[in-house]
Amino acid sequence: MTLIPIHADSEPAVPPCGDCRNGEALDFAFSYAFQPIIDLRAGSIFAHEALVRGPAGEGALSVLAQVNDENRYRFDQACRVKAIEVAARLGMRSKLSINFLPNAIYRPEVCIRTTLQAARQFGFPVEQIIFETVESERIDDGSWLATVFSAYQRIGFMTAIDDFGAGYAGLNLLAAFQPDIVKLDMALVRGIEQKKAARVIVASVARMCDQLGIRVIAEGVETREELTCLQDIGVHLVQGYLFGKPQFEQCVADISQIWPPA
């Protein structure tokens, strides 16, 4: 999806927060599937990533195809509310990771109001919410992304960069801002036990992030061999089909439901 950068010094008209609640200002409906992120050291569910789906579980593209320049801001806001609403309804006890569109944000302190209102309304703790952005999404203004992330951290949200190693920001972004979490691009994870270069890169990223106080999540884990290799390297937060596909409007209450993997 091509996004239009919106910089901190711009002053567009900001729609009232109420227009974004529950997707009511959009002319299409959507919901979420949830995929668990496993903490191998603690033997528990660390978080669930919220993945957008159609209202009856249709694929993400059926929803994203309806997002355009006119409704992108409202869609981003509605996504936050819907993810929190469904997670609260399911009684989710883990953290909740919500993908967001940094280029759809006008001013962090204004655009976060709807999220805070939803957290209060549905009784979902702010400190359990992770805002996750995709590194492969082109961010023309890295300092703007750092500004957004910093504002979210001050409020109490956790922050994460997805697909680290696949996009435009990478090490330069980490030099300017340290998120709570870095998610390794699944291309680095796939068949890692057979790829020396990938093992060296992942081990180096893991050591660097440890020194910076950043947690590392390996996503796209599909085989026991990949899992064992990642554990040997020192990556203990993992996500992937080895533990099950995303479940529509369902979450994993206890790790015994998916561990050990089949």
Side-chain angles (χ1 to χ4, degrees):
M1 185 185 340
T2 300
L3 300 179
I4 299 174
I6 300 173
H7 302 288
D9 57 356
S10 61
E11 292 291 339
V14 180
C17 288
D19 285 352
C20 304
R21 296 190 63 78
N22 301 315
E24 59 197 19
L26 299 171
D27 58 3
F28 59 91
F30 63 91
S31 191
Y32 275 97
F34 297 94
Q35 186 174 35
I37 300 170
I38 312 301
D39 186 334
L40 297 171
R41 278 179 171 166
S44 63
I45 306 297
F46 172 73
H48 284 82
E49 181 179 358
L51 300 164
V52 71
R53 296 290 186 268
E58 300 93 338
L61 289 179
S62 68
V63 177
L64 298 177
Q66 302 179 74
V67 180
N68 54 48
D69 292 344
E70 297 299 319
N71 63 20
R72 182 168 291 119
Y73 173 86
R74 286 174 285 135
F75 176 70
D76 181 65
Q77 294 288 300
C79 281
R80 302 161 184 236
V81 174
K82 189 67 175 182
I84 293 170
E85 176 190 357
V86 177
R89 171 159 47 87
L90 294 174
M92 186 180 293
R93 296 192 298 271
S94 71
K95 294 177 174 60
L96 169 66
S97 188
I98 304 172
N99 289 274
F100 79 105
L101 305 177
N103 287 328
I105 294 173
Y106 296 99
R107 296 193 300 273
E109 71 279 5
V110 172
C111 297
I112 204 62
R113 291 176 186 170
T114 304
T115 308
L116 293 171
Q117 290 172 359
R120 286 193 295 267
Q121 177 182 349
F122 299 113
F124 199 90
V126 167
E127 62 272 15
Q128 286 182 215
I129 297 174
I130 303 168
F131 275 113
E132 173 180 331
T133 190
V134 181
E135 194 211 357
S136 55
E137 175 189 320
R138 185 174 183 111
I139 306 295
D140 291 323
D141 190 346
S143 63
W144 173 235
L145 178 58
T147 296
V148 174
F149 268 156
S150 296
Y152 286 5
Q153 281 189 337
R154 286 195 300 271
I155 292 168
F157 298 109
M158 298 181 70
T159 58
I161 299 174
D162 196 6
D163 296 337
F164 185 78
Y168 297 91
L171 297 177
N172 287 334
L173 177 59
L174 287 188
F177 174 81
Q178 293 77 52
D180 297 289
I181 297 166
V182 157
K183 299 184 75 174
L184 298 172
D185 179 57
M186 64 178 61
L188 290 170
V189 172
R190 186 71 62 248
I192 188 172
E193 77 283 359
Q194 302 173 28
K195 302 174 182 176
K196 179 180 179 181
R199 292 196 300 274
V200 171
I201 291 169
V202 169
S204 298
V205 170
R207 286 194 300 270
M208 174 186 66
C209 287
D210 183 62
Q211 293 178 355
L212 293 172
I214 300 171
R215 294 171 175 170
V216 175
I217 295 175
E219 56 183 345
V221 180
E222 293 188 354
T223 69
R224 286 179 174 270
E225 291 75 18
E226 291 168 352
L227 180 65
T228 299
C229 182
L230 289 163
Q231 286 181 283
D232 291 343
I233 288 173
V235 177
H236 300 285
L237 293 175
V238 292
Q239 175 183 1
Y241 282 7
L242 181 62
F243 312 101
K245 295 183 178 181
Q247 297 296 307
F248 182 63
E249 294 190 346
Q250 296 182 51
C251 66
V252 178
D254 188 88
I255 196 171
S256 63
Q257 297 176 243
I258 56 173
W259 187 266

